[in-house]
């Protein structure tokens, strides 16, 4: 079956530190991969996506590369800001394009 | 483009009472989803509509949960009667027919059952 596994949090970093949030997946076909972000009190927002192997998704300084050989889609940012404090969800969409599977989320707190 | 609208934002009810949530998807989005997000967990799909037809409701607790999407636009999710374990954020999302490019989520309704 399809599933997503994220590193457990919470993660606490100082401002300007390097961020990595690990995500690995299991899928039966050729899924698309996503990172969603949820700020306090808000719904989920699409952060970035990659639809095929070796694609790199990027947005707001965040990056993630679709690695088929390691079934991974790790989220990285070179220098985090306090405003990046949120919960980050890794997700996959089946090749059929409709069913989404979410990880359990990783809470990030950035301190000044 | 207007986003996915949900109401109410917050709701507190006693167990065994009933509650209803409303969702208005992005105009033109044929597919609508209801997710349940329990604190500390990822969203779990409850039901998926394609236009006004149900595509997947395999994880919907049908003894107490029901959902409808009249005319293929707005949708309502109802819980009757509510249990303590139904306390969660209920998220509505919509997408074009093929969701490869990501859903758009609403802000959610936070339900507390006491």
């Amino acid at each position: 079956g399809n599933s997503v596994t994220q590193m457990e949090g919470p993660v606490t970093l100082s401002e300007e530190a390097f961020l990595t949030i690990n995500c690995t997946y299991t899928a039966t076909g050729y899924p698309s991969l996503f990172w969603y972000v949820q700020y306090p009190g808000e719904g989920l927002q699409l952060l970035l996506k990659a639809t095929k192997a070796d694609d790199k998704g990027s947005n707001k300084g965040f990056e993630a590369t679709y690695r088929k050989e390691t079934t991974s889609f790790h989220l990285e940012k070179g220098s985090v800001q306090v405003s990046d404090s949120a919960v980050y969800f890794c997700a996959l969409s089946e090749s059929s394009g409709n069913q989404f599977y979410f990880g359990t989320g990783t809470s990030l707190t950035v301190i000044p | 483009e207007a986003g996915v609208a949900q109401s109410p934002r917050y709701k507190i009810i006693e167990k065994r009472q009933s509650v209803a949530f409303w969702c208005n998807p992005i105009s033109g989005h044929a597919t609508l989803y209801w997710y349940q997000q329990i604190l500390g967990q990822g969203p779990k799909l409850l039901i998926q509509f394609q236009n006004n037809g149900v595509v997947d409701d395999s994880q919907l607790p049908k003894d107490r949960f029901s959902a409808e999407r009249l005319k293929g636009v707005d949708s309502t999710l109802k819980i009757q009667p509510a249990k303590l374990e139904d306390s969660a954020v209920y998220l509505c999302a919509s997408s074009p027919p093929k969701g490869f490019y990501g859903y758009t989520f609403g802000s959610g309704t936070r339900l507390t059952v006491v």
Side-chain angles (χ1 to χ4, degrees):
Chain A
N2 297 314
S3 66
V4 173
T5 302
Q6 284 181 240
M7 66 180 282
E8 292 195 14
V11 174
T12 302
L13 295 174
S14 297
E15 206 165 22
E16 299 183 2
F18 185 85
L19 168 71
T20 299
I21 300 178
N22 290 338
C23 171
T24 57
Y25 68 90
T26 302
T28 52
Y30 301 95
S32 292
L33 301 174
F34 304 82
W35 277 99
Y36 279 84
V37 58
Q38 187 173 35
Y39 298 103
E42 298 184 15
L44 278 74
Q45 300 175 26
L46 178 63
L47 180 61
L48 54 84
K49 65 182 187 289
T51 57
K52 61 183 188 296
D54 299 325
D55 269 2
K56 177 185 285 187
S58 62
N59 186 26
K60 300 181 181 179
F62 290 89
E63 293 184 341
T65 301
Y66 188 148
R67 302 285 188 199
K68 191 169 185 293
E69 64 276 13
T70 54
T71 62
S72 65
F73 193 55
H74 304 322
L75 183 68
E76 297 181 335
K77 186 174 185 181
S79 176
V80 293
Q81 305 300 312
V82 172
S83 57
D84 294 328
S85 298
V87 180
Y88 293 82
F89 291 91
C90 185
L92 72 82
S93 173
E94 287 181 330
S95 48
S96 63
N98 280 326
Q99 180 68 274
F100 265 64
Y101 299 85
F102 285 88
T104 54
T106 302
S107 174
L108 170 67
T109 300
V110 180
I111 54 178
Chain B
E1 141 181 289
V4 175
Q6 287 189 250
S7 66
R9 285 298 308 272
Y10 305 94
K11 190 75 177 177
I12 301 174
I13 62 172
E14 296 182 350
K15 59 184 179 183
R16 291 188 290 275
Q17 285 187 321
S18 63
V19 65
F21 314 127
W22 173 81
C23 173
N24 185 20
I26 289 176
S27 178
H29 278 194
T31 311
L32 184 147
Y33 313 80
W34 283 102
Y35 279 82
Q36 180 191 59
Q37 186 180 12
I38 294 173
L39 186 64
Q41 299 182 19
K44 183 186 84 170
L45 180 68
L46 292 175
I47 189 167
Q48 176 185 341
F49 292 94
Q50 182 78 13
N51 296 308
N52 60 351
V54 175
V55 174
D56 183 353
D57 63 356
S58 57
Q59 298 193 79
L60 186 73
K62 298 181 187 62
D63 58 335
R64 297 183 302 106
F65 286 65
S66 64
E68 60 182 7
R69 190 181 184 195
L70 299 176
K71 301 180 182 178
V73 182
D74 293 8
S75 178
T76 303
L77 176 69
K78 296 179 182 177
I79 308 175
Q80 182 179 10
K83 293 185 176 181
L84 295 176
E85 58 262 36
D86 298 333
S87 295
V89 176
Y90 290 85
L91 295 165
C92 180
S94 69
S95 73
K98 288 292 185 183
F100 259 47
Y101 304 102
Y103 298 162
T104 300
F105 281 89
S107 298
T109 296
R110 182 176 297 278
L111 173 67
T112 303
V113 182
V114 298

